[in-house]
Amino acid sequence: TKDITFVNGGVYDVNGNLLKTIVPTVALEPTVTLNYSPEAIYTNTTVTLSATVLDGDGMTVEYLVNDEKLSGNKWTPTTAGSYTLTANLVDGTTVKATDSKTVTVKESTLFTVYLEKSSAWTTTYIYCWGGYGNTWPGDKLTATETVNGVDYYKWDFKNIESVNIIFTDNSGNQTADISNVTKTTYYRLKGKTGNPCGHEEVDPTVKPETLV
């Protein structure tokens, strides 16, 4: 050909004339990002693993806890401690990309909040925020338990450290904020009407004195 002035990506004819230019395409390296839910992990609860994959068409994702490969994407820890979760992006038998995260598994928690049933309220709700959240007026209390002849509403809180609550009848009567509840606690209403109406903690194991 005649002398050619080099052009990157140039396409020439047999005489060395530039016909067109092709911009070279650089293949991107595939990436994988590990995700898991819930964010706070407790023993004997199921964790779901997932992955965000870029430029990994036709590849598969495998999940590992420490060095043990999972059969799927579910993991239920039975022992508290520190674990390494891993997502591998695999092409055949070759790992093309990987992402790992270290998580802490806490011991499962459970505590219950009780409220002495009030004849002044036809319905009773528990509104919560903090470790557990719901929307106003909250969850309707229906489960009951009798302690020393006194009937209580009850609500269980599982796998949280603390919670803030308000009891309400959703008809204008409610307690003040009850903050940072961290253990099983019994309450009863004082006054029963108003916003806020009164409330107090009680010990249900103490029986009223008997008049002799």
Side-chain angles (χ1 to χ4, degrees):
T1 65
K2 63 181 181 180
D3 293 347
I4 296 175
T5 300
F6 172 75
V7 176
N8 188 28
V11 180
Y12 302 87
D13 65 15
V14 294
N15 296 314
N17 300 310
L18 180 64
L19 301 177
K20 61 181 179 180
T21 301
I22 299 176
V23 178
T25 301
V26 178
L28 298 177
E29 291 294 328
T31 62
V32 61
T33 302
L34 172 66
N35 313 298
Y36 61 90
S37 178
E39 183 176 344
I41 303 176
Y42 293 84
T43 56
N44 302 311
T45 59
T46 299
V47 179
T48 301
L49 286 74
S50 61
T52 303
V53 176
L54 295 177
D55 302 300
D57 292 346
M59 301 181 191
T60 59
V61 178
E62 62 181 19
Y63 300 100
L64 297 87
V65 176
N66 294 336
D67 294 325
E68 183 177 349
K69 182 179 176 181
L70 300 178
S71 58
N73 69 328
K74 304 289 186 181
W75 171 55
T76 304
T78 57
T79 306
S82 180
Y83 294 84
T84 300
L85 307 182
T86 302
N88 287 334
L89 184 61
V90 179
D91 187 6
T93 58
T94 304
V95 176
K96 292 293 187 179
T98 187
D99 185 33
S100 296
K101 290 180 171 64
T102 300
V103 298
T104 299
V105 176
K106 302 177 182 180
E107 289 288 354
S108 183
T109 65
L110 176 65
F111 62 89
T112 304
V113 168
Y114 294 85
L115 178 67
E116 184 177 318
K117 295 183 69 174
S118 167
S119 59
W121 290 10
T122 56
T123 55
T124 303
Y125 299 84
I126 182 170
Y127 171 69
C128 310
W129 71 100
Y132 171 79
N134 53 20
T135 57
W136 187 265
D139 295 297
K140 185 176 181 180
L141 293 173
T142 57
T144 60
E145 184 175 324
T146 301
V147 182
N148 283 339
V150 179
D151 293 332
Y152 290 89
Y153 287 118
K154 58 184 293 188
W155 190 266
D156 294 331
F157 293 97
K158 184 177 181 180
N159 292 341
I160 63 171
E161 306 300 323
S162 66
V163 69
N164 308 307
I165 61 177
I166 292 174
F167 294 111
T168 178
D169 67 351
N170 197 32
S171 296
N173 303 307
Q174 66 185 62
T175 64
D177 296 356
I178 304 174
S179 302
N180 197 34
V181 181
T182 60
K183 61 182 181 180
T184 295
T185 312
Y186 293 77
Y187 297 95
R188 69 178 167 210
L189 301 177
K190 295 172 60 180
K192 300 184 181 180
T193 61
N195 181 8
C197 67
H199 71 277
E200 63 182 356
E201 290 188 30
V202 295
D203 182 353
T205 63
V206 178
K207 295 184 178 181
E209 293 183 4
T210 302
L211 181 63
V212 179

